[in-house]
Amino acid sequence: MSKMQRIGVLTSGGDAPGMNAAIRAVVLTASQYGLEVIGFRHGFNGIFQRDFQLLQSTDVRQISHLGGTILKSARCKALPQPGGAELAAQILHELGIDALLVIGGDGSFRGCMALSHYYQGQIVGLPGTIDNDLDGTDLTIGFATALQTALDAIDKIRDTADAFERTFLVEVMGRHTGYLALSAGIAGSAEQIICPEYGETVDVADIAADIRSYQQQHGACSYIIVLAETMYPAGAAALAQELSVQSDTECRAVVLGHLQRGGSPVGSDRILATKLGAYAVEQLMAGHAHLMMAGEQAGQAVLFPLSLTGAQHKKADPFLLAWQDRVLQQHKAT
Amino acid sequence: MSKMQRIGVLTSGGDAPGMNAAIRAVVLTASQYGLEVIGFRHGFNGIFQRDFQLLQSTDVRQISHLGGTILKSARCKALPQPGGAELAAQILHELGIDALLVIGGDGSFRGCMALSHYYQGQIVGLPGTIDNDLDGTDLTIGFATALQTALDAIDKIRDTADAFERTFLVEVMGRHTGYLALSAGIAGSAEQIICPEYGETVDVADIAADIRSYQQQHGACSYIIVLAETMYPAGAAALAQELSVQSDTECRAVVLGHLQRGGSPVGSDRILATKLGAYAVEQLMAGHAHLMMAGEQAGQAVLFPLSLTGAQHKKADPFLLAWQDRVLQQHKAT
Amino acid sequence: MSKMQRIGVLTSGGDAPGMNAAIRAVVLTASQYGLEVIGFRHGFNGIFQRDFQLLQSTDVRQISHLGGTILKSARCKALPQPGGAELAAQILHELGIDALLVIGGDGSFRGCMALSHYYQGQIVGLPGTIDNDLDGTDLTIGFATALQTALDAIDKIRDTADAFERTFLVEVMGRHTGYLALSAGIAGSAEQIICPEYGETVDVADIAADIRSYQQQHGACSYIIVLAETMYPAGAAALAQELSVQSDTECRAVVLGHLQRGGSPVGSDRILATKLGAYAVEQLMAGHAHLMMAGEQAGQAVLFPLSLTGAQHKKADPFLLAWQDRVLQQHKAT
Amino acid sequence: MSKMQRIGVLTSGGDAPGMNAAIRAVVLTASQYGLEVIGFRHGFNGIFQRDFQLLQSTDVRQISHLGGTILKSARCKALPQPGGAELAAQILHELGIDALLVIGGDGSFRGCMALSHYYQGQIVGLPGTIDNDLDGTDLTIGFATALQTALDAIDKIRDTADAFERTFLVEVMGRHTGYLALSAGIAGSAEQIICPEYGETVDVADIAADIRSYQQQHGACSYIIVLAETMYPAGAAALAQELSVQSDTECRAVVLGHLQRGGSPVGSDRILATKLGAYAVEQLMAGHAHLMMAGEQAGQAVLFPLSLTGAQHKKADPFLLAWQDRVLQQHKAT
């Protein structure tokens, strides 16, 4: 690692608001050490296709507020192929890349692990995903913005739900964790939240009974259910229809979908991205970042083994999970 | 019309941002004439169920910025029933309601026409619908906010579409007119807009060819199609899948749905609603507003016969329709 | 005008949201006619300094949603100098610029008039200013966004004003017209609006009396005054202090200032800019646009003599001015 | 503490977005324990004036998204008077208030300490202030929203600053801590941040030199300075003027002022407020919350002595402070 001169950076997997702020911080920090930064485009594909650009301070001056990623993103089919990681490592060596920073999620980090068998330089991960489903960091880059996007939608839907005293089912992303669903639901005063932490299956009759007992208690009123994306395989529309029948109320579904990935990052995402980007480069220079993810825990930047970031299912806040459940139960009890 | 003393107001049909600003203006203006304002709740249902409240200046002080409607809205099943209009008229007479203001869309205005056969007071309509599908007014209350909501979503989706150089299909509301689709598409720099004004049917092969030729010209890049809600009966998801196959690109669908109805109204909606609410009451006092809609044309508040508001299919801006088409055609030509 | 081949475009004066959408429309439309578009940077300075760039379709693909202007803006000191206009014309001729499009306001259009004495090509103006103070167009590009920015601020200030039942003075831009003040005030349910249309001077004692009588009527409550920027030369802070003393309430000032110029343009600004940019190029090709501004009146794109755009003081909506005044007077009367 | 039956809640001091979500959580949680909740209006004044209301679940159904506070806020002059705390305690006893929850900042918590000498019930604080200047909690309720408001303004100002390549000075709140200034500055890619953590005085010549050397390095470009409110007693406008002279660039000031206090709370503020409101009531029931503040540290709800919340000057993130400084220094060095 003596004499690090040139590092690579790429964004991979689902894009997340804040990735650009991370790129900016990487470049500005690298510049302090006299490091050259090469940005690969379209995730790991940029390595295979030798599609890259030199990133200098002026290139990243006004990018932090932009959604998406100036380096583009993609899933890479070549890396998991037999010989893929070996080839990528070879190209990185040819290009004189002394270390590689990968901003992405679970799948991207598995790509890093594969690459590490052949690549000699340090590989450091930065947690960039709206799902907040990585262990080793309190929050991932992009989560706070996605929460805000989901919340803005729920606030708007509440207006209509209130005007018509209607039930709405709002499906949010989050993959295997209910972090986004719970957060958006709590913030949006959702009457009910359906996410994996409350159990893997959805009991439609039970929910229909909840709606009815809530409306018996409060009179005709809006009722918003936030649904984590994996919970009802037949889809939110099907669940809404089923609930309409079983609860004898009018229930509509809204699937937020890909609009949750975009948008100008909120303040906390830009700050987190800046911090982790800076920290990652510093730790790289200090030489102990190899196969680590730069995360933040309790306000402190920390390193965490990349191999463990997806080991457990990160759980949403148990305090809030329990509280929301008690609020719901109380309506039943009354 | 001698001695008008008490008027009724209600919001009916799909809620639209700005309805509250209209209610405020009605109340503040009525107060200048010493009129009492009775707000019926849940649209025409509030008449049948005698569910109403006195609205005074203090009740409407801080409501203009709120989405939805403080009077609630609903479709009314009782009014179109045999004897329904007669009963409603009778109740209005009993309550001493000298005139009725109805904030809503097409269907609500048909309700007004029915009611007018039995009700002796003036009936005035205010155009409240996000679809901007009423003749007699340049814009309806709620359209500008719905446009902004759709545009914010498209801007976010563009981030992701750009990061992945992917095709997205965004379905927006608008009923039988492409006003919202065209406006959101132009504002969002959509590569393509599919709305009734361009023809009633969707030629999937044609669109797939457009995508391919655009990407041949520009290289891999995002491609956003705004789709008016009525255009593809099988749904946006089905169309996206079909396009993926035929264009050999990855095409995803996002259906904005009910989130387009809510939200704090943008400035122009609050101003339009204020103006029309004030104007409607003034014209009521002047005695020539019966069965008229208060609209705005070329910046001037005007009256327009309620019976004609749905007569034609209001068309989206022909200049922009033609321009957008030429832009699209040019990509084909190249 | 035979064989127009190359046109120039520049943005000048105070920047306004939507300028980029206008540039995009100019380029896309010019491309339909096979015209080359040269973008001068920093307003007219770009001519003098030969600081320009070729603008092609790909350069303007994703710019409509951006605030500011990709061509930069500036006030130009060289143009009004003796010999300035002559020199600019000479450079334009040298560069083979067959026509010039200027997106800006009053001052920029005076620059166009000066240039026209020496320049042989057509000169066309596009109304780009947040002040909406140009005759010949219902709205200027940027006004709707500035209104929304001011309104968002007023909505936030209302929260605090309500919590503390306090008086706030919010100063907005608008130069010599009260268009922005009236619009923001009506939309924000301001209790009072101080703008030139109500008289050129501010009677502090009168306003203080208004505050007191309003609070006598409504009890302790928030009271928001929107102040047009030119109305109180000593500044909003001084006026707030004076009002605090004379009304014996706590009055605070917030000066929105330059944040009103920025931000992603709202939908209607992007649409207006697109329409006028396209229309200007079309009229240029048709040969009758020289020294005209492309504006919109009653939904139709129109040409209007550049020389007359600043002739009168465009007045804010008389209906709303009168209505707001009656609402205020009624509080006094009670 | 046996048989707690009725608790009081009030919001005090500067309002902060999220206070309503805290009130909602207090009421919903209290309801689980069968506690009656009395909301005092206008801070501690509501006690003295016996101005209060019973708060039930239905009263707080749709309040979390609202800025301000439904209980109003105020500074209270009566409490610090001789005999004030004694009288307040007496009234609380008369009203049968078994415990009091105070949502506010530093000054409000000092009021709690005073009250505790006479009042027998538990007193619990909830950190509600946009300044994030309380020890014992990572974040205060309202900070995240104020950061977003400041950031939105900076993003808009950047548009104009970029268009004109101008220097802007943006003054943000924060009282004696630079938390808000640093956060908004980092998130907004501010070229410079002036806050107490970098030293108590402002060296104008030094900053002017920074601006010049930055623009020598980058060419003409925007330069944004975020200024913490206490740093330049003569005011931001005076500093801007001084900088204009000394740096020979055009420097403008924007003072965000009170608009930073308002607005619909962002997701993380609503979640924090919900969590702390719920936790405070639970700890009250458990009997160990007296004279404690309910805060959050490292994701865990915790109790922290009220008397120590203002003991130290809470410092902004040292990692980011140092990083931002190195970025600035590097421009000098170059």
Side-chain angles (χ1 to χ4, degrees), chain D residues 126-205:
Chain D
L126 284 155
T129 163
I130 66 162
D131 298 319
N132 199 24
D133 61 350
L134 293 172
D135 292 307
T137 190
D138 292 342
L139 292 173
T140 53
I141 297 165
F143 171 75
T145 304
L147 163 59
Q148 198 56 37
T149 297
L151 180 56
D152 288 346
I154 292 170
D155 281 355
K156 285 188 209 297
I157 290 165
R158 178 71 75 179
D159 286 338
T160 289
D162 264 350
F164 278 85
E165 295 164 348
R166 203 180 259 169
T167 300
F168 271 91
L169 196 61
V170 185
E171 184 188 297
V172 302
M173 287 184 163
R175 290 177 72 227
H176 305 296
T177 171
Y179 224 101
L180 188 53
L182 178 72
S183 301
I186 291 280
S189 299
E191 278 71 23
Q192 195 155 4
I193 298 168
I194 305 176
C195 62
E197 284 80 355
Y198 288 129
E200 290 298 328
T201 56
V202 173
D203 184 331
V204 181

Side-chain angles (χ1 to χ4, degrees), chain A residues 73-151:
Chain A
S73 188
R75 326 263 171 201
C76 177
K77 290 176 187 163
L79 188 59
Q81 298 297 319
E86 200 166 357
L87 176 57
Q90 185 188 318
I91 297 171
L92 288 172
H93 292 144
E94 282 173 24
L95 295 173
I97 305 292
D98 298 314
L100 183 68
L101 293 166
V102 174
I103 310 170
D106 204 27
S108 308
F109 292 170
R110 280 196 301 273
C112 292
M113 298 308 296
L115 184 60
S116 71
H117 298 307
Y118 306 96
Y119 176 58
Q120 306 300 319
Q122 290 182 74
I123 301 175
V124 188
L126 283 155
T129 162
I130 66 162
D131 298 320
N132 199 27
D133 61 350
L134 293 172
D135 291 307
T137 189
D138 292 342
L139 293 173
T140 54
I141 298 165
F143 171 75
T145 304
L147 163 60
Q148 198 57 37
T149 297
L151 181 56

Side-chain angles (χ1 to χ4, degrees), chain D:
Chain D
M1 208 44 35
S2 64
K3 303 281 177 58
M4 201 169 330
Q5 290 181 321
R6 179 181 296 165
I7 63 173
V9 63
L10 59 85
T11 51
S12 168
D15 60 315
M19 283 181 160
N20 285 324
I23 294 169
R24 171 178 176 264
V26 165
V27 171
L28 293 187
T29 311
S31 158
Q32 294 168 16
Y33 294 105
L35 289 174
E36 208 175 77
V37 180
I38 301 297
F40 292 98
R41 292 162 56 87
H42 305 102
F44 289 103
N45 295 310
I47 301 175
F48 290 97
Q49 296 161 11
R50 290 181 163 78
D51 181 6
F52 56 83
Q53 58 188 109
L54 179 65
L55 291 174
Q56 293 184 292
S57 295
T58 46
D59 298 316
V60 297
R61 263 203 90 225
Q62 299 306 334
I63 65 168
S64 288
H65 64 298
L66 302 175
T69 154
I70 61 163
L71 291 177
K72 310 288 180 184
S73 188
R75 325 264 172 202
C76 178
K77 291 177 187 163
L79 188 61
Q81 299 298 320
E86 201 167 358
L87 177 57
Q90 185 187 318
I91 297 171
L92 289 172
H93 293 143
E94 282 173 25
L95 295 173
I97 304 292
D98 298 314
L100 183 68
L101 293 167
V102 174
I103 310 170
D106 205 28
S108 308
F109 291 170
R110 282 196 300 274
C112 292
M113 299 307 295
L115 184 60
S116 72
H117 298 307
Y118 305 96
Y119 176 58
Q120 305 302 318
Q122 290 182 74
I123 300 176
V124 188
L126 284 155
T129 163
I130 66 162
D131 298 319
N132 199 24
D133 61 350
L134 293 172
D135 292 307
T137 190
D138 292 342
L139 292 173
T140 53
I141 297 165
F143 171 75
T145 304
L147 163 59
Q148 198 56 37
T149 297
L151 180 56
D152 288 346
I154 292 170
D155 281 355
K156 285 188 209 297
I157 290 165
R158 178 71 75 179
D159 286 338
T160 289
D162 264 350
F164 278 85
E165 295 164 348
R166 203 180 259 169
T167 300
F168 271 91
L169 196 61
V170 185
E171 184 188 297
V172 302
M173 287 184 163
R175 290 177 72 227
H176 305 296
T177 171
Y179 224 101
L180 188 53
L182 178 72
S183 301
I186 291 280
S189 299
E191 278 71 23
Q192 195 155 4
I193 298 168
I194 305 176
C195 62
E197 284 80 355
Y198 288 129
E200 290 298 328
T201 56
V202 173
D203 184 331
V204 181
D206 221 40
I207 300 169
D210 289 339
I211 297 173
R212 279 196 310 268
S213 66
Y214 189 88
Q215 297 199 332
Q216 277 162 16
Q217 186 181 351
H218 287 83
C221 65
S222 63
Y223 192 96
I224 287 186
I225 303 170
V226 174
L227 174 73
E229 62 178 334
T230 53
M231 292 299 295
Y232 201 76
L239 179 53
Q241 198 162 359
E242 197 57 41
L243 283 173
S244 294
V245 173
Q246 295 201 22
S247 72
D248 197 27
T249 64
E250 206 175 341
C251 179
R252 301 285 177 90
V254 178
V255 178
L256 297 184
H258 278 79
L259 75 92
Q260 293 165 91
R261 291 203 184 285
S264 180
V266 299
S268 59
D269 267 334
R270 298 193 211 175
I271 294 169
L272 177 63
T274 301
K275 189 169 181 176
L276 298 189
Y279 180 73
V281 174
E282 290 179 8
Q283 293 299 306
L284 209 61
M285 289 307 296
H288 29 64
H290 187 45
L291 287 182
M292 304 296 267
M293 179 187 74
E296 190 187 41
Q297 293 178 8
Q300 295 294 322
V302 294
L303 294 178
F304 187 86
L306 261 190
S307 59
L308 301 180
T309 54
Q312 303 170 19
H313 275 320
K314 187 176 183 176
K315 287 275 180 270
D317 188 327
F319 181 91
L320 289 172
L321 280 166
W323 181 78
Q324 172 77 12
D325 193 46
R326 280 200 305 279
V327 172
L328 180 64
Q329 296 307 326
Q330 209 191 356
H331 298 130
K332 289 187 196 184
T334 319

Side-chain angles (χ1 to χ4, degrees), chain C residues 44-87:
Chain C
F44 289 101
N45 295 310
I47 300 174
F48 290 97
Q49 296 160 12
R50 290 181 164 79
D51 181 6
F52 56 83
Q53 59 187 110
L54 180 65
L55 291 173
Q56 294 183 292
S57 296
T58 46
D59 298 316
V60 297
R61 261 203 91 225
Q62 300 305 336
I63 65 168
S64 288
H65 65 296
L66 301 175
T69 154
I70 61 163
L71 290 176
K72 308 288 180 183
S73 188
R75 325 263 173 203
C76 177
K77 290 177 187 163
L79 188 59
Q81 298 297 319
E86 201 167 355
L87 176 57

Side-chain angles (χ1 to χ4, degrees), chain B residues 191 275 282 317 326, chain C residues 61 270 275 282 317 326:
Chain B
E191 279 70 22
K275 189 169 181 176
E282 290 180 7
D317 188 327
R326 280 200 304 280
Chain C
R61 261 203 91 225
R270 299 193 212 175
K275 188 169 181 175
E282 290 180 8
D317 188 329
R326 280 201 304 279

